[in-house]
Amino acid sequence: MNPSTLPTLVPIVPELTMLVGALVLLMLGAYRVLRADYIFAIAIALLLINAGQVIYLPPGELTTFGGSFIVDDFARFLKVLVIIGSSGAIALSTDYFVAEKQIRFEYPILIMLSTVGMMMLISANDLIALYLGLETMSLALYVVAAIHRDSVKATEAGLKYFVLGALSSGMLLYGSSLIYGFTGSVSFETIAKVTMDKPETGLLFGLVFLFAGFCFKVSAVPFHMWTPDVYEGAPTPVTAFFASAPKVAAMAMFMRGAVEAFPSIVPQWQQIVVFVSIGSMVLGAFAAIGQTNLKRLLAYSSIGHMGFALVGLAAGTEEGIRGVLVYLAIYMVMTLGTFAVVLSMRRQGKYVENISDLAGLSRTSPVMAFLFAMFMFSLAGIPPLAGFFAKWYVFMAAIKTGLTGFYVLAVIGVLASVVGAYYYLTIVKTMYFDEPQGEAFEPMHNELKVVLGVTGVLNIVLGLYPGPLVVYATAAAKSLF
């Protein structure tokens, strides 16, 4: 092969570094050169180094593999976000697996491999690269969902996630094949050019199937059914991981796929996104009310929050995409902080998950109760916390389209927020006004304290001073238009 035909590998250096790092750690773990807890720490360090590599890639738009892989400001922003989410999830998990006597060196390696898939997904610039990234991400997720293999619930969660994930992959592939059949290309750029003319009906069918696959990955209605069962059944650190980084990567796939491949048929895909957004917001608000298990409640909460984020995408504007990016960054902070508290709910060596277990927490652990209450207020969208501004940006993007339908969408979003506030405030009431049941939780481990402290501070700072985040999100959104 002529060396001049070899693709430049500069844009994909962070992915290659993480892949090589994961394989080296796998060897070190398999031959018992390093203890599992050391591998957890090294994995976090490698992820943070990887975030630095992404930040210091040459500026501007970089492409490789014939344009299939792209690194722009949008990709940089979201890759740093998923790396932070993955490293936070590993930090949350170390003590859990030690306490459960289930620590396995494979866990952080699987997280790293899944993160490689997420980064590929974020940079995918055609349908084949998108599918490869999606499957690389998902295969590791199926395994970590069932990593607690002696648990019936975890095994069921992994199996359910795998079966439904395979179904969604099938729909996404079918949609991709229809789009290829009617446009003659898998490249987003070429698809966009072909669809400039009047789109054929078959292409719209392909779009619907493609979006169905996207909706499954972000757990949006009507493809949300796996979320509560998998969140409840999987080990709690795995649930924290599912709720953070993969959601960001999947939403990135949704945004780039919709905006770059179908810019001329925005009204057609807007209808789908608006329907999915309303369904997710309403279901997330009402279905969580009757939940007693905290992880199931957070599962429905995540469905609702993806609905709010989709309001920004539905707007189909640069401002809307900026709103989604701000929303995802703030949502990740709130989620990691919330799960740091859930992982601290431990009595007599056993983890508890029910909302009633939080009764009287303000008297037994006032700092933990305060921070958890702050996250609940933020998730509910109460100012001046960061969650309020996350919703503000997506609702304003919808209103600024000037279309009546989007005014209605924003109003439904506000009403869903009001309903959702009920169950968040119920948790606060349980912590502050109910009598304690049983003894206090065991002392929080240092890793959890660090994650809780950092996310708690960010929750306030991003609410009071969101400027820098908005600046980066604005630059990232511009690169899609």
Side-chain angles (χ1 to χ4, degrees), residues 69-91:
F69 189 93
I70 185 168
V71 178
D72 49 13
D73 289 339
F74 179 80
R76 288 186 183 88
F77 182 93
L78 287 163
K79 282 183 183 182
V80 170
L81 212 54
V82 297
I83 290 170
I84 291 171
S86 298
S87 50
I90 295 175

Side-chain angles (χ1 to χ4, degrees), residues 60 126 134 167 183 245 272 299 302 329 347 412 462 467:
D126 68 26
L134 184 68
L167 176 68
T183 62
I272 302 172
S302 80
R347 287 193 181 110
I412 292 173
L462 292 176

Side-chain angles (χ1 to χ4, degrees), residues 96 153 231-236 239 292-296 342 345 350-358 441:
Y96 175 91
K153 274 188 172 182
Y231 270 44
E232 184 183 7
T236 307
T239 309
T292 55
N293 182 285
L294 201 49
K295 285 163 70 180
R296 283 188 78 85
V342 176
M345 295 170 59
K350 290 186 178 178
Y351 288 92
V352 291
E353 298 174 354
N354 290 325
I355 296 169
S356 58
D357 293 315
L358 289 165
F441 294 137

Side-chain angles (χ1 to χ4, degrees), residues 95-107:
D95 288 317
Y96 175 91
F97 286 116
V98 170
E100 291 286 290
K101 297 185 174 64
Q102 292 286 335
I103 189 161
R104 294 193 175 93
F105 71 89
E106 298 93 336
Y107 177 74

